Amino acid sequence: MPPEIPIPTLHLFPKLDQFLLEFLRNLSPADWDKQTIVPRWTIKDIAAHLLDGNLRTLSMSRDQYFGEKPDPIESYGDLVAYLNRLNADWVKAFKRVSPTVLIELLELTGSQYYTYLKTLNPYTPALFSVAWAGEEKSQNWFHIAREYTEKWHHQQQMRLAMGQEEMLYAPDLYFPYLDTSMQALPHHYRNVVAEPGTVIAFVVKGIPNAQWYLQRGENAWVLSKTLNQAPIASVNIDGAIAWRMLTKGIAKAEAANLVEIEGEQKLGAVVLDMLAVMA
């Protein structure tokens, strides 16, 4: 039997794409221009960005065509700046493309994208690492899960602008997003000093099994789904806030007023500026 995939997400892509297409097809012409929580991006801009994600994967990963070469990337900041420029260029170009054409392209490329992902061995090295989790090399299962979080949170940004978020809060869709994003915790806490054995609990309220435990080992923090001793701090996050906090969708000061921290406040509060996106 093949080993169990740590965070299975591949089977969810068709469902997420179906919800996306249904959502977009029900928008009025004015809805496409509604501002989202992403600065300067409308619903249409985010839809265009999702299309870019499909096409980049098919071009680079499937077809091994990389096109424009980046300037030397010597740091995480360089990588973020490069990706931001690519994203902005694409969104600007798609201002001239109609919503109807955009939907047609999303439907076409979404199925091809999923078909390609199914060909990947989940345990071989991915073309791109999950940098926000501190990895220099990642296995394909984690890369696929990261791609799922991209598709999930960008669709939710559009839905938030329309007041239609509830569909993606279904546990079968939201928990994999959270479980993947929380893999950033050890990297985010890497410079936080604590006694070995110290445990911090993180709970997303309203989602079954949405709890994670970060324990300080001798040399690093380790993430676990099981608790073996009482936590020194517990962080309780409302489900409607968690994804926004992890994607720069809410100011740190606002999040601090909404997140409940029990026990050691300073240790728990470190999570308030954690990101599970390239930003």
Side-chain angles (χ1 to χ4, degrees):
M1 293 290 291
E4 183 179 351
I5 296 172
I7 305 177
T9 56
L10 182 58
H11 64 292
L12 296 171
F13 281 77
K15 185 174 183 178
L16 200 60
D17 274 354
Q18 176 190 343
F19 287 168
L20 172 66
L21 295 172
E22 290 174 353
F23 169 77
L24 294 177
R25 286 178 177 135
N26 285 317
L27 294 176
S28 71
D31 291 338
W32 286 87
D33 294 325
K34 283 192 173 181
Q35 179 62 47
T36 69
I37 58 173
V38 183
R40 297 181 295 280
W41 276 14
T42 64
I43 287 177
K44 183 170 179 285
D45 293 333
I46 294 180
H49 176 64
L50 284 171
L51 175 62
D52 187 24
N54 289 352
L55 290 173
R56 275 197 233 174
T57 291
L58 292 171
S59 296
M60 292 188 291
S61 298
R62 186 191 68 181
D63 302 338
Q64 297 296 298
Y65 181 79
F66 291 85
E68 181 182 0
K69 301 297 189 295
D71 295 329
I73 294 177
E74 299 176 352
S75 67
Y76 184 86
D78 289 345
L79 178 57
V80 170
Y82 171 65
L83 293 175
N84 285 342
R85 181 172 62 80
L86 288 183
N87 294 338
D89 288 349
W90 180 270
V91 167
K92 182 178 180 180
F94 259 72
K95 296 289 187 183
R96 68 193 68 169
V97 175
S98 72
T100 299
V101 170
L102 188 49
I103 291 172
E104 291 171 348
L105 291 174
L106 281 166
E107 183 171 22
L108 174 66
T109 60
S111 61
Q112 293 182 21
Y113 176 94
Y114 174 61
T115 297
Y116 168 69
L117 291 185
K118 288 194 296 182
T119 69
L120 298 177
N121 181 330
Y123 294 102
T124 57
L127 181 60
F128 299 108
S129 67
V130 185
W132 49 251
E135 294 199 348
E136 296 183 358
K137 295 181 180 180
S138 299
Q139 293 182 325
N140 275 319
W141 71 262
F142 197 12
H143 163 68
I144 292 169
R146 180 259 309 279
E147 292 296 290
Y148 176 79
T149 67
E150 284 288 306
K151 285 182 172 286
W152 189 97
H153 92 263
H154 283 310
Q155 184 177 157
Q156 194 70 323
Q157 288 168 340
M158 294 187 288
R159 288 181 172 277
L160 180 64
M162 294 295 297
Q164 298 177 17
E165 314 98 279
E166 285 304 316
M167 182 170 285
L168 297 196
Y169 286 140
D172 67 315
L173 294 172
Y174 193 21
F175 178 79
Y177 165 84
L178 292 169
D179 202 17
T180 303
S181 298
M182 290 298 181
Q183 303 307 305
L185 279 167
H187 178 64
H188 183 68
Y189 271 77
R190 64 193 181 279
N191 295 323
V192 175
V193 177
E195 291 294 323
T198 298
V199 174
I200 309 170
F202 302 87
V203 178
V204 177
K205 297 183 291 184
I207 305 298
N209 302 312
Q211 63 272 322
W212 296 264
Y213 304 103
L214 192 63
Q215 184 165 20
R216 181 67 192 183
E218 289 295 332
N219 299 307
W221 291 90
V222 179
L223 190 64
S224 174
K225 290 290 291 177
T226 58
L227 181 64
N228 55 21
Q229 67 182 68
I232 195 171
S234 295
V235 182
N236 299 291
I237 313 169
D238 186 83
I241 299 301
W243 72 274
R244 294 180 60 185
M245 193 176 78
L246 294 166
T247 59
K248 294 186 73 173
I250 187 172
K252 181 179 178 180
E254 184 179 356
N257 290 326
L258 298 171
V259 172
E260 301 171 2
I261 302 176
E262 302 171 0
E264 291 288 341
Q265 297 291 308
K266 288 185 178 180
L267 276 181
V270 173
V271 77
L272 292 173
D273 55 5
M274 184 177 86
L275 294 176
V277 291
M278 296 294 290

